Structures are given as structure tokens and as C-alpha cells.
Amino acid sequence: MELWFTELHTDNVRFSIKVDRQLYSAQSQFQRIDIFESIEFGRILVLDGYIMLTEKDEFIYHEMIAHVPMAVHPNPRRILVIGGGDGGAVRELTKYRSVERIDLIEIDEVVVDACREFLPQTACRLNDPRVHIRYEDGLKYTRSHENEYDVILVDSTDPFGPGEDLFTKEFYGNCFKALREDGIMVNQHESPFYAKDAAAMQRAHQRIRARFPISRVYQAHIPTYPSGHWLFGFASKKYHPTHDFRPDAWNALRIPAHYYNTNLHSAAFALPTYVQEILQKVEEA
Amino acid sequence: MELWFTELHTDNVRFSIKVDRQLYSAQSQFQRIDIFESIEFGRILVLDGYIMLTEKDEFIYHEMIAHVPMAVHPNPRRILVIGGGDGGAVRELTKYRSVERIDLIEIDEVVVDACREFLPQTACRLNDPRVHIRYEDGLKYTRSHENEYDVILVDSTDPFGPGEDLFTKEFYGNCFKALREDGIMVNQHESPFYAKDAAAMQRAHQRIRARFPISRVYQAHIPTYPSGHWLFGFASKKYHPTHDFRPDAWNALRIPAHYYNTNLHSAAFALPTYVQEILQKVEEA
């Protein structure tokens, strides 16, 4: 038997993975959730038809969303993760002893339950005593918090469906307010290559820049995301992502990582010219 | 009607592009050659079923194979390109006034003829008076040349089929000999992600390191290559790819580029930890 999962990267581009079995399938109040077992990528989490993670390459996304801000902030103690119900970002954050509390705000409890059962590789640290999970809308949650967090990770789905609110002006403004005076927000920032993703990236960049004094974009190679070229936004009240980066301090923590390293940290902010140009278009707008 | 071209990235991963029409198809003495027209990527050159280039993203590969060594060598005058019958690498090289002669050694005349007809975007500078094309086996050609070139670009297909010879110890030794005393060789170096590509990358790295005193690997985001994470090898007799890099001199040339820039040059050598580890395995062997 052959069983193939296919994701449409655009209407004209398909990425297909041979799967061994469908381990889980459910329709929650918010989205369709599927988990597959595959030879090439291990287990795969799919939301509304889009790959959220595979066991083979999820380390890249989760290390890059977590370690970049954590290596810049001199003393990150209180962290907010919005989305990220798979637990991968939380897993990376729990590697830091300095962290006192992680609030995970995930809209969909069904995702967390499914990941706890079928994706222990990412969900393994959700029981860390510092982690507090609330099943709530991220936009609503951020409305009522002020001057509370050192780092906020916006680990959202794409800006279509349940993730849409996490790309709005209001949301970024709320995050700004919820951060302490030297806080840092990092968000998954879509991709520069296919037109629809690039437009989402431009909108996000424009809205974040309007609110944060420091706003930069960095990149990673994530093979199972469309085009493999994925971006993150680094938005900050005080610290610059490379000038205020302290590689020696981070290396002294001896945090295990397979993609992120301190040479790559600054290099990730050196964007290709065509990506710079797309971002500059909205900076000048 | 729907017409889809599919490339197998591995036995378990497929990448498919909706095409409008097949513009060209031939079986040469060496390989099967196809050219398609597509909405998403423009025209696509396929050799033996593998995408060699698309009009949408070929600039990334060609800029990264050409400008990195050209921005390090202080006076590159005589250049050898092996493979590269599509003309994309030659197009980038002809942007340098310092270049006096480019020898293009392509085994398959049918590829060049097809690209001249259907891919003017890459083949456009093959008629530059400095360009000399020879239809010959790259391995054989390099046997009889000594102390002749400032830069050699090994713009090969994968190490299966006609490209196989261009990944051998003998070939790298010939290139070393064909370079002048401060010469640089850059080669397409496969990818670190899928097992078969990573093994090819390791073999190439081991063989190049055995011959060249300076051997480093750099990366680019190439969406239509498997995993989107592609590598190049920088092998050199004298110049270090980042310490001897002269960004101001390159910027003064005002060469138009859409991916490459001088910040990205050094950043491209900052590899993810897992890639460093795969390379170190063969360095220690």
C-alpha cells in the first residue's frame, strides 16, 4: 500500500510525503488536527492541511524561535509563549535555569492533548513545574497583561484561520504593553519566496515596525516549510539582536542545540538582497 | 487540463510543479533533457528527472557559486567553468570587467543548444567574446591544464550519471593543478538534509580537504532544490573565504545581484551545528 500526504505550497506547487499510517485525526472547535507516522520525517503534525512540525526537522524552528531572543536578553525570567501547543518552544525554554515561569497560551486544548499522546519529542517538557498552560485566545490574553514579560514568543500558525488574530496591529500593540521595559518579542514571520507568504511577511513587518523601536528579521533553513526558507521577526524595546548579543554568556550556559550556535546567531540576520528589498518596500511605505 | 512535473527528493518525498507545457524534450548521448513552462517558476530545466534550474530562483544558485570566489580573489582574470551549460554561472562572471577569459567545459552540447533556444535568461551571455565553449568531458579537460586559472567553478549535476566524475579525487587533484598558486575552486556541494545528499556532501568534502589547504563550506536557500538547503564548497590554495574577503572592493564594482551581498558573504559560512557535525565526521576520519 502507498499512502501519501500532500501539502499545497501554492496552487501550483505540491509537497508530498509518503506516510506509513495516520496515528490521529480530529476536528476541534478551531481546526482539523492530523498526526502521521512517516519513514522520512518520523511523526508529522498537520493543522488544517499544513505541516506544523515533523520530528526530523522541528529542532530547527524551535531552536531558532527560542534561543535567538534568550541569547540577547541578559536575564530572561518570565516568558510568554502564544500558540505553540506542541510544546517544542517550551522544551527549548526549559533548558534555561534563569527562567522562573513560562505561560503557554494555546487556543486549542485538543492540540496539546494530541501532542502529549503522540508527540512526546516536543511535548516532553510541558509538565515542567515552571510551565503554566492556559487554553485561551492569545489576543484576548494579551489585552489584560502589562509590564510582565521579558520575552514573548509568538509561535503561531499562518495568518489564515485561528492564527489570524496573532498577526494584527492590536495584537502586536498588546505584546508591546505586556513586555517589560527591556522586553523582546519574537514571532514566526512567514517566508519571502512564494507571493502569498511574502505578502503576509510584509504585513507583519509593517505592523511590528510601527510599534517597536527595534525590529529586525532573521532566517533559517526549515526543509518541511514552503520553500524551506523561513523567517522570524525580532522586535525589541531596548536590546539590539546582534549588537547586544552576548555569545560568551550563552556558550557558558552549555545548552544543547543542533541548529543554533553563536556564529549562526548574527549570520541569521544577514538577509539576501531580494528579501531586504521586499522588507524595505514596507519600511518606506 | 492539469499537467504536473514531479521530482523525487527521496523515495518518500515528492516535489511537484504544475506546468503549462513541455517546451522541449530530448535524449542526448549523456542524459534526458526536458524544459517546461510553468506559472509559478517560469521555465524549468530538468536533466534526468532532476530540476537543474527554474527562472524564478536560478539567480540564487548562480550568484552564490560565482560571486563568493570572485569577491575573495583580488584579481580574477582567467576562469574555468565545468558543467554549467545553461550559462547562468557564465552570465554572472561576465559582469566582471577584470575577467579576460572564461573557458566553459560542458560535456553535452545538446544542453547548451536547448538553453540557447529556450532559456535566454541564463544563456544570454554565452556569446560574450571572452567566453570559449568546449564540449568535452570535464575530468579529461582538467588532466592537461596546469597553473592556468584564477578561479574554477564546478557547476555539476549530482554525483550520479554524467556528473559522477566531477566528484572524484582525481578531478579535485586536477583542478588543484590547473589553478594558479593563489587559485580558488568553488563546487556545488549537495545538501546536508536528506541522507543520500548528505553522504555525497561528506564524500566531496573529504576529497577536497585532502587536496586543498583551505576548504570551507557555505550555504544558500534554494527553494527548488531538495530541502531548499544547498551547499557550496570553497577550496583555496591561499585566500581564506572570510579573512581575505574584501567587501569594499566588491561593492565598488557595483555588480547587480539579487541574493548575494557582502553581509551575506561571510554569514553564508556560519553553518548550523548539525551540518558542522556531519562535516567534522569526515574531517576527523
Side-chain angles (χ1 to χ4, degrees):
Chain A
M1 187 186 95
E2 296 218 357
L3 186 62
W4 289 80
F5 162 79
T6 294
E7 176 175 330
L8 271 69
H9 284 183
T10 78
D11 290 343
N12 308 301
V13 181
R14 291 179 184 163
F15 182 68
S16 304
I17 298 173
K18 192 175 179 179
V19 297
D20 182 47
R21 284 183 306 149
Q22 186 174 35
L23 298 175
Y24 176 88
S25 184
Q27 177 70 47
S28 77
Q29 185 188 343
F30 303 101
Q31 56 205 336
R32 170 147 175 185
I33 305 157
D34 292 277
I35 299 174
F36 297 99
E37 178 78 54
S38 75
I39 299 166
E40 195 71 46
F41 298 102
R43 294 185 174 186
I44 303 169
L45 172 65
V46 175
L47 297 182
D48 281 341
Y50 294 98
I51 295 174
M52 289 297 112
L53 67 87
T54 82
E55 286 184 328
K56 184 176 163 82
D57 71 343
E58 57 84 11
F59 70 100
I60 303 172
Y61 177 88
H62 291 125
E63 289 182 11
M64 290 301 281
I65 200 170
H67 298 316
V68 171
M70 294 298 282
V72 173
H73 197 291
N75 185 25
R77 288 176 291 135
R78 215 176 158 107
I79 321 286
L80 172 62
V81 179
I82 297 181
D86 53 69
V90 164
R91 180 193 62 206
E92 296 305 312
L93 292 168
T94 59
K95 294 178 179 172
Y96 292 82
R97 289 191 183 186
S98 72
V99 169
E100 293 166 3
R101 184 184 173 103
I102 301 166
D103 289 315
L104 175 66
I105 310 304
E106 163 63 55
I107 201 168
D108 197 344
E109 185 165 3
V110 185
V111 168
V112 176
D113 291 344
C115 292
R116 282 192 199 268
E117 187 170 353
F118 294 102
L119 288 165
Q121 181 177 311
T122 54
C124 54
R125 302 306 299 273
L126 289 175
N127 290 328
D128 185 291
R130 296 170 293 175
V131 177
H132 301 263
I133 308 180
R134 287 179 65 162
Y135 300 106
E136 195 177 329
D137 180 79
L139 178 63
K140 276 188 202 151
Y141 179 86
T142 54
R143 276 181 190 144
S144 55
H145 290 263
E146 213 163 311
N147 192 27
E148 194 173 327
Y149 295 104
D150 300 305
V151 170
I152 297 178
L153 304 186
V154 186
D155 183 5
S156 68
T157 53
D158 295 323
F160 329 106
E164 209 169 333
D165 282 351
L166 307 183
F167 285 80
T168 58
K169 253 190 218 177
E170 191 208 332
F171 175 69
Y172 297 130
N174 293 347
C175 286
F176 184 89
K177 203 167 43 64
L179 284 169
R180 288 176 173 155
E181 60 177 7
D182 63 349
I184 300 168
M185 177 185 85
V186 163
N187 70 313
Q188 89 80 353
H189 208 291
E190 299 292 309
S191 165
F193 191 69
Y194 294 118
K196 194 179 174 188
D197 301 330
M201 169 194 90
Q202 282 185 305
R203 278 194 302 275
H205 185 60
Q206 191 166 33
R207 290 168 186 172
I208 293 167
R209 261 181 62 84
R211 200 65 195 86
F212 284 82
I214 297 166
S215 166
R216 292 287 185 284
V217 172
Y218 63 98
Q219 63 190 356
H221 285 92
I222 305 182
T224 58
Y225 282 4
S227 86
H229 190 173
W230 215 256
L231 302 177
F232 298 90
F234 180 103
S236 173
K237 292 188 174 185
K238 183 175 170 188
Y239 304 117
H240 187 279
T242 57
H243 306 161
D244 295 315
F245 166 50
R246 302 151 303 111
D248 294 344
W250 193 84
N251 285 322
L253 298 175
R254 306 184 74 81
I255 285 172
H258 304 292
Y259 188 90
Y260 178 84
N261 59 60
T262 51
N263 287 332
L264 186 137
H265 177 110
S266 301
F269 288 88
L271 301 177
T273 302
Y274 87 96
V275 181
Q276 288 177 2
E277 286 170 355
I278 301 173
L279 292 170
Q280 273 160 13
K281 264 186 204 161
V282 297
E283 289 174 12
E284 288 157 7
Chain B
M1 186 185 96
E2 296 218 355
L3 186 62
W4 289 82
F5 162 79
T6 294
E7 177 176 330
L8 271 68
H9 284 183
T10 77
D11 289 344
N12 308 302
V13 181
R14 291 178 183 164
F15 182 69
S16 305
I17 298 174
K18 192 175 179 178
V19 297
D20 181 47
R21 285 184 306 149
Q22 187 175 35
L23 298 176
Y24 177 88
S25 185
Q27 177 70 46
S28 76
Q29 184 188 344
F30 302 101
Q31 57 205 335
R32 168 146 177 186
I33 305 157
D34 292 277
I35 299 174
F36 297 99
E37 178 77 55
S38 76
I39 299 166
E40 195 72 46
F41 298 102
R43 294 185 174 187
I44 304 169
L45 172 66
V46 175
L47 297 182
D48 282 341
Y50 294 98
I51 295 173
M52 289 298 111
L53 67 85
T54 82
E55 286 185 328
K56 184 177 163 82
D57 71 343
E58 57 84 12
F59 70 100
I60 303 172
Y61 177 88
H62 292 126
E63 289 183 11
M64 289 302 280
I65 201 169
H67 298 315
V68 171
M70 295 297 283
V72 173
H73 197 291
N75 186 25
R77 287 175 292 135
R78 217 179 156 104
I79 321 286
L80 172 62
V81 179
I82 297 181
D86 53 68
V90 164
R91 179 193 63 206
E92 296 306 313
L93 292 169
T94 59
K95 294 178 179 173
Y96 292 82
R97 288 190 184 188
S98 71
V99 169
E100 294 166 3
R101 184 184 173 103
I102 301 167
D103 288 316
L104 175 66
I105 309 305
E106 163 63 55
I107 200 168
D108 197 344
E109 186 165 3
V110 185
V111 168
V112 175
D113 290 344
C115 292
R116 282 192 199 267
E117 186 170 354
F118 294 103
L119 287 164
Q121 182 177 310
T122 53
C124 53
R125 304 306 297 273
L126 289 175
N127 291 328
D128 186 290
R130 295 170 293 174
V131 177
H132 302 263
I133 309 181
R134 287 179 64 163
Y135 301 106
E136 194 178 330
D137 179 79
L139 178 63
K140 276 189 202 150
Y141 179 85
T142 55
R143 276 181 190 144
S144 55
H145 290 264
E146 212 164 312
N147 192 29
E148 193 172 328
Y149 295 104
D150 299 307
V151 169
I152 298 178
L153 304 186
V154 186
D155 184 5
S156 68
T157 53
D158 295 323
F160 329 107
E164 209 170 334
D165 283 351
L166 307 183
F167 285 81
T168 57
K169 253 190 215 176
E170 191 208 331
F171 176 70
Y172 297 131
N174 293 349
C175 286
F176 184 89
K177 202 167 45 59
L179 284 169
R180 288 177 174 156
E181 60 177 7
D182 63 348
I184 299 170
M185 175 185 86
V186 163
N187 69 313
Q188 89 79 355
H189 208 291
E190 300 291 310
S191 165
F193 190 68
Y194 294 117
K196 194 179 174 188
D197 301 330
M201 168 195 91
Q202 283 185 304
R203 277 194 302 275
H205 186 60
Q206 192 165 33
R207 290 167 185 172
I208 294 168
R209 261 180 63 83
R211 201 64 196 85
F212 283 83
I214 296 166
S215 165
R216 291 288 185 285
V217 172
Y218 63 98
Q219 64 190 355
H221 285 93
I222 305 182
T224 58
Y225 282 3
S227 86
H229 190 173
W230 214 256
L231 302 177
F232 298 90
F234 180 103
S236 173
K237 291 187 175 186
K238 182 175 170 188
Y239 303 117
H240 186 279
T242 58
H243 306 162
D244 294 315
F245 166 51
R246 302 150 303 112
D248 293 345
W250 193 84
N251 285 322
L253 297 174
R254 306 183 75 81
I255 286 173
H258 305 291
Y259 188 91
Y260 179 85
N261 59 60
T262 50
N263 287 333
L264 186 136
H265 178 110
S266 301
F269 288 88
L271 301 176
T273 302
Y274 87 97
V275 182
Q276 289 178 2
E277 286 170 354
I278 300 173
L279 293 170
Q280 274 160 13
K281 265 186 203 159
V282 298
E283 291 175 10
E284 288 157 8

